[in-house]
Amino acid sequence: MDNGIKKCDGAQEVDHHQTPRNMTIKGILGLLMANVDADDKRRVISLGMGDPSAYSCFHTTAVAEQAVADTLSSQKFNGYAPTVGLPQTRTAIAEYLSCDLPYKLSPDDAFVTAGCTQAIDVALTILARPGVNILLPRPGFPIYELCAAFRNLEVRHFDLIPEKGWEVDLDAVESLADSNTVAMVIINPGNPCGNVYTYQHLKKIAETAKRLKFIVIADEVYGHLAFGDNTFVPMGVFGSIVPILTLGSLSKRWIVPGWRLGWFVINDPCSTFKNPKVIERIKKYFDICGGPATFIQAAVPHILQQTEEVFFTKTINTLKQTADICCNKIKEIHCITCPHKPQGSMAVMVKLNLSLLKGISDDIDFCFKLAKEESVIILPGIAVGMENWVRITFAVDPSSLEEALGRVKCFYQRHSYRQTEC
Ligand SMILES: *Cc1c(COP(=O)(O)O)cnc(C)c1O
C-alpha cells in the first residue's frame, strides 16, 4: 500500500498480516470465538481472558462500589484531574505500596494511569531512544512487544524456566544484555505462568540488573494474588540495589478491569534514576496521556484504605480452589501437562504433547478445533511466545472450569491415537 504517506514502522509491523502469531490476545480470542459452532447448544466457556468480573464468585467488594458511587454523586469530581493524577490518589498509592517496603515512597513517585496497560506504555515510551533495547520474558505479556514495536524499541527475549518454577534464566539475561540495554521486565505474580518468585530470586534479579547497569520494570498487576508456598514480595523491596519501576492497577486484585485505574511508580530511594530531567520528561508524557476518570481516581484512597481483608481472602481462596481444580483435571488429560503448579495470578502455562493427538498440527490448530468442537476457548501459547503450549485462565467459577476441562478431556479422547469412550 503506497499512498505516499510515511508509514510508522512499529504500527506497520503490528498490523501486517493478521495471523495468530502477531495478534493481540484479544484479537486471537475473537477469532477463536468466531470459530465456535453456532449449532452447539452448549454455552461457550472461555478460559482465555483474565477478566473474571463476569462470575459472581469474583465480584468486587461493595466498599469499592460505594466509594465510586460516593465520589460520583459528590459532584466534586466532574472536572479534569492533574495529568499525573489527583494528589490524594498519588498519596494513597504511595502509602499502599510503602506498607511492604523498607523505605517510604513519596506521592511524587506515584503517577496515576489508565490501568496497568498505560503504565506499560509510559515505562517503554520514557525509556525508548534510538539504538537501545529492552529485555522481555518469554513467555510474556504481548502488550510489551506491541508497545515496544510502536516505540521502535528493540526487544530481546530471555526465557523463563518451567522446571524452576518459571524463574528468570539469568544466564540468558547476562548474555543478551549490552551497553544499550535500558531495562528488563519481570511479571510477578506471573501471567501467563502463575509463578510467584522468592525473595532470593528477586534479589538476584536486582543484583544482575545493577551489575549490567539497567533498571527493572516490575509488572505487579497481580500483586498479592498469591496462594501457594511463596508469599508475594514486591520488587520495590530491592529499590536501593537498582531503580525499579513498579506497574500496577486495581484491575486484578479488586477485579475491576473496566475501571481503568492503574499506577506507574518509581522505586528509587537512592535517586540514581529519577533526576529532574527524567521527571520532567515523564510529566510531559503524562500531559498527552489522559488518565482515568477523575471520580474513579478520587475513590482510590477509600478503596486502598478501607477494603476489608475478608474480600482479599475470599478471592485468594477461590483462586486456590480453581487452580487446584485446574491442575487435577489436567492430570486426567494426557496430551497436556503442567510443569509447575500455579502459585499466584490467574493463569497457568500447559505443555501440549502433539504426539498423542491425531490430526492436530500445533497449538493454534488445537485451540481452533477445540473452539469448534467443544465451545471452549483456550489461548494458544504462541500468543505469549511459546509454541505448542497453551495458556489456561483459571479465574472462572469452579463449575464452569470443571465443565470446560471435562470437554477438553472429551476432545483429547476423540483425537487420541488410542480412542476411548468419552
Ligand atoms: C491484565 C494485565 C495487565 C493490564 O492491566 P490493566 O490494569 O487491565 O490495564 C498488565 N500486565 C499483565 C501481566 C496483565 O495480566
Side-chain angles (χ1 to χ4, degrees), residues 25-26 50-51 113-120 140-144 186-192 219-222 247-252 256-263 345-346 391:
I25 290 181
K26 284 192 185 87
D51 182 359
T113 59
C116 186
T117 304
Q118 194 178 55
I120 294 170
F141 188 64
I143 296 274
Y144 286 92
I186 61 158
I187 305 174
N188 184 55
N191 177 11
D219 183 327
E220 293 175 359
V221 77
Y222 292 98
L247 319 181
S249 76
L250 295 182
S251 304
K252 310 287 164 70
V256 288
W259 290 10
R260 310 310 303 132
L261 192 298
W263 47 82
S345 91
M346 300 175 172
R391 185 190 75 171

Side-chain angles (χ1 to χ4, degrees), residues 166-240:
W166 298 103
E167 281 189 355
V168 172
D169 181 351
L170 287 169
D171 294 335
V173 167
E174 196 100 27
S175 56
L176 288 170
D178 61 22
S179 59
N180 287 319
T181 304
V182 285
M184 72 179 282
V185 170
I186 61 158
I187 305 174
N188 184 55
N191 177 11
C193 302
N195 55 277
V196 177
Y197 292 148
T198 60
Y199 180 96
Q200 283 311 326
H201 186 58
L202 293 170
K203 188 163 182 230
K204 270 194 207 146
I205 291 172
E207 286 164 349
T208 305
K210 180 190 170 74
R211 188 154 30 80
L212 299 171
K213 298 193 169 58
F214 52 73
I215 68 168
V216 177
I217 298 172
D219 183 327
E220 293 175 359
V221 77
Y222 292 98
H224 297 280
L225 289 178
F227 43 79
D229 294 338
N230 299 347
T231 52
F232 166 65
V233 178
M235 191 69 199
V237 164
F238 307 102
S240 45

